[in-house]
């Protein structure tokens, strides 16, 4: 049996087992990484562990720790109350405000995971406080981030346009940005209409949870002012100076804990360790497959399967499925060069195919195995973690199944 079949088969088996049985999928992924990597792919342990997502680990630890500290000293409650006043008490508008803020941040150069890391904790606290569906809030923040992610000023937009400029093809920056914005806006609208009224898998409140919810007072105390200053510094450092969000958040959280040690003694409990294990294991496994060339082989096989129009659809599905478990930036970097020969030898619209690939790659970042989805999972409050995880998986599965078809049908088919 070929290494390609073994590695993909192992991925499917552990996905089914981890979803059906009460065992963290990350544990299965670490075991499979070692077993498949050494026995089938011939990799050494050092090569296997090169794929561990240390940067994502630090980001999730730092952000969830900082906002755990901010919850315990009442700052998050103050921000939630201010947000409600901003929309004049119409809490149903909160997800749309977060969508627009996320789109603005990414359109003007913020890396999408950084924007999501800044907004998701705020959004999850809005959802918890005002009984909004956390799945809707979290997914709309992610969609908002991707709605603006392909502007010429954005990281993803500059990456895609830069890759295309190295070829004989031409893609309009306006077309790329508009395609991403419209499809993500439509996705958010459908998400809101279909899921906003759906029941939330609530967890039983316990003493620890109740201890994290201090009453909101009218005037912030000096600790809350310091927390707000740290949050502003986090935004400025991440957006203005492109500093690592995780390290900034850890530094801010440590400072706030030192000045409020009695109240922050259990703040580390707010770090979502189960999410870290899940994401760390899965991304290490996928990185191992990328290193062994399995992902590239799958993409190349897909490109040789039929007519150009059909191949474009298969490429959209390939990047969607792969990106649900791996870095969308890395997938974009790999897939666009593979699509160039197809575009040069056919009558397919270059702008349509490139935009469809870009949308198909990023629209699935709602997956709990990606940075954005993991942040939603890690920051959800007051929910049954296992049931909420299944909701996120089901939502992502629907997007993986339908998103590439929509992107292909809207962006490739009419212009080819």
């Amino acid at each position: 049996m070929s290494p390609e079949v073994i590695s993909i088969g192992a991925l499917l088996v552990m996905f089914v087992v981890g979803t059906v049985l009460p065992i963290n999928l990350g544990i299965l992924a670490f075991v499979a990484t070692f077993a498949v990597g050494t026995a089938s792919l011939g990799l050494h342990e050092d090569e296997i562990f090169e794929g561990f997502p240390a940067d994502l680990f630090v980001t999730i630890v730092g952000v969830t720790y900082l906002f755990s500290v901010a919850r315990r000293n009442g700052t998050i409650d103050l921000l939630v109350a201010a947000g409600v006043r901003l929309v004049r008490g119409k809490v149903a508008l909160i997800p749309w405000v977060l969508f627009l803020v996320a789109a603005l941040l990414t359109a003007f150069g913020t890396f999408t995971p950084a924007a999501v890391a800044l907004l998701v904790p705020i959004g999850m606290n809005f959802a918890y406080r005002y009984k909004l569906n956390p799945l809707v809030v979290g997914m709309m923040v992610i969609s908002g981030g991707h709605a603006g992610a392909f502007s010429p000023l954005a990281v993803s937009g500059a990456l895609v346009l830069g890759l295309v400029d190295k070829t004989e093809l031409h893609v309009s920056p306006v077309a790329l940005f508009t395609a991403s914005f419209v499809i993500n806006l439509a996705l958010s609208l459908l998400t809101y209409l279909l899921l906003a009224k759906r029941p939330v898998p609530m967890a039983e409140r316990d003493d620890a949870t109740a201890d994290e919810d201090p009453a909101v007072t009218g005037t912030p105390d000096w600790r809350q002012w310091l927390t707000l200053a740290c949050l502003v510094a986090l935004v400025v450092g991440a957006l203005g100076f492109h500093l690592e969000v995780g390290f900034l958040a850890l530094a801010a959280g440590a400072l706030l804990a030192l000045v409020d040690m009695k109240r922050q003694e259990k703040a580390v409990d707010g770090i979502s360790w189960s999410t870290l294990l899940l994401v760390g294991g899965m991304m290490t496994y996928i990185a191992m497959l990328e290193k062994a060339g399995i992902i590239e082989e799958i993409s190349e096989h897909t490109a040789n399967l039929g007519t150009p129009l059909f191949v474009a659809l298969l490429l959209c599905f390939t990047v969607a499925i792969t990106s649900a478990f791996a870095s969308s930036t890395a997938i974009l970097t790999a897939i666009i060069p593979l699509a160039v020969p197809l575009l040069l030898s056919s009558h397919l619209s270059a702008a349509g195919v490139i935009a469809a690939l870009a949308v198909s790659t990023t629209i699935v970042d709602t997956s709990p195995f990606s940075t954005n989805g993991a942040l939603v999972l890690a920051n959800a409050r007051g929910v049954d973690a296992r049931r909420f995880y299944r909701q996120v998986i089901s939502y992502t599965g629907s997007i993986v199944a339908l998103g590439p078809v929509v992107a292909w049908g809207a962006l490739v088919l009419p212009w080819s």
Side-chain angles (χ1 to χ4, degrees):
M1 191 177 294
S2 69
E4 182 178 325
V5 173
I6 292 174
S7 57
I8 298 302
L11 178 64
L12 294 175
V13 169
M14 63 185 175
F15 183 78
V16 172
V17 172
T19 302
V20 175
L21 300 180
I23 181 171
N24 191 295
L25 187 56
I27 294 175
L28 300 175
F30 277 122
V31 173
T33 301
F34 179 77
V36 174
T38 55
S40 178
L41 301 179
L43 300 176
H44 297 292
E45 288 87 347
D46 291 343
E47 294 176 300
I48 291 173
F49 286 112
E50 284 177 2
F52 181 79
D55 52 347
L56 177 56
F57 180 90
V58 173
T59 297
I60 295 177
V61 169
V63 169
T64 54
Y65 178 67
L66 172 59
F67 281 88
S68 175
V69 171
R71 278 200 303 268
R72 289 177 175 273
N73 66 23
T75 304
I76 295 299
D77 290 313
L78 289 172
L79 291 174
V80 169
V84 173
R85 288 195 298 271
L86 184 65
V87 296
R88 299 181 179 179
K90 298 177 181 178
V91 294
L93 295 177
I94 288 172
W96 291 106
V97 172
L98 293 170
F99 174 90
L100 291 174
V101 172
L104 286 172
L105 288 177
T106 55
F108 284 97
T110 308
F111 195 36
T112 306
V116 173
L118 293 171
L119 293 177
V120 159
I122 301 291
M124 290 296 100
N125 279 278
F126 271 119
Y128 177 74
R129 177 66 62 190
Y130 293 98
K131 302 298 184 289
L132 302 174
N133 189 320
L135 181 66
V136 172
V137 174
M139 298 304 105
M140 286 183 66
V141 170
I142 295 174
S143 293
H146 288 305
F150 288 97
S151 82
L153 301 177
V155 176
S156 298
L159 170 66
V160 171
L161 294 172
L163 289 170
V164 173
D165 285 343
K166 296 178 181 178
T167 71
E168 300 174 31
L169 303 173
H170 173 73
V171 173
S172 166
V174 174
L176 181 64
F177 172 71
T178 303
S180 178
F181 189 92
V182 170
I183 289 181
N184 279 282
L185 179 61
L187 173 62
S188 292
L189 182 61
L190 284 174
T191 299
Y192 187 83
L193 293 176
L194 297 177
L195 300 179
K197 302 298 183 182
R198 290 284 297 275
V200 180
M202 301 299 295
E204 295 182 4
R205 286 175 63 91
D206 54 25
D207 293 338
T209 302
D211 185 53
E212 292 183 4
D213 296 310
V216 180
T217 57
T219 305
D221 60 27
W222 67 271
R223 292 182 180 86
Q224 292 165 342
W225 280 118
L226 180 59
T227 304
L228 290 171
C230 287
L231 293 176
V232 171
L234 177 68
V235 173
V236 172
L239 307 190
F241 297 94
H242 304 288
L243 300 177
E244 173 58 47
V245 173
F247 286 119
L248 291 177
L250 282 172
L255 172 63
L256 296 171
L258 287 173
V259 301
D260 192 15
M261 287 186 286
K262 185 176 180 180
R263 188 185 297 174
Q264 302 298 344
E265 182 180 356
K266 296 182 179 179
V268 72
D269 295 342
I271 299 173
S272 184
W273 299 109
S274 62
T275 301
L276 284 165
L277 183 60
L278 169 73
V279 175
M282 283 303 303
M283 292 194 70
T284 302
Y285 186 82
I286 295 299
M288 176 196 68
L289 298 187
E290 291 178 340
K291 185 176 184 65
I294 300 297
I295 302 298
E296 185 175 351
E297 286 181 22
I298 293 173
S299 297
E300 290 176 350
H301 290 331
T302 302
N304 296 319
L305 288 179
T307 62
L309 199 59
F310 180 63
V311 170
L313 178 59
L314 289 180
L315 286 175
C316 288
F317 270 109
T318 300
V319 296
I321 294 170
T322 308
S323 186
F325 298 92
S327 166
S328 57
T329 303
I331 300 301
L332 278 174
T333 305
I335 198 64
I336 289 177
L338 292 176
V340 170
L342 171 70
L343 293 171
L344 291 176
S345 61
S346 69
H347 295 290
L348 295 178
S349 164
V353 172
I354 296 298
L357 290 174
V359 170
S360 299
T361 303
T362 54
I363 203 172
V364 299
D365 277 355
T366 55
S367 164
F369 313 120
S370 68
T371 305
N372 297 334
L375 286 167
V376 170
L377 202 62
N379 285 279
R381 299 187 60 200
V383 298
D384 183 299
R386 185 165 179 78
R387 290 174 61 197
F388 186 65
Y389 163 75
R390 287 178 173 175
Q391 284 191 350
V392 175
I393 283 289
S394 298
Y395 181 90
T396 303
S398 300
I399 294 179
V400 170
L402 299 176
V405 177
V406 172
W408 177 82
L411 302 173
V412 179
L413 192 58
W415 315 110
S416 301

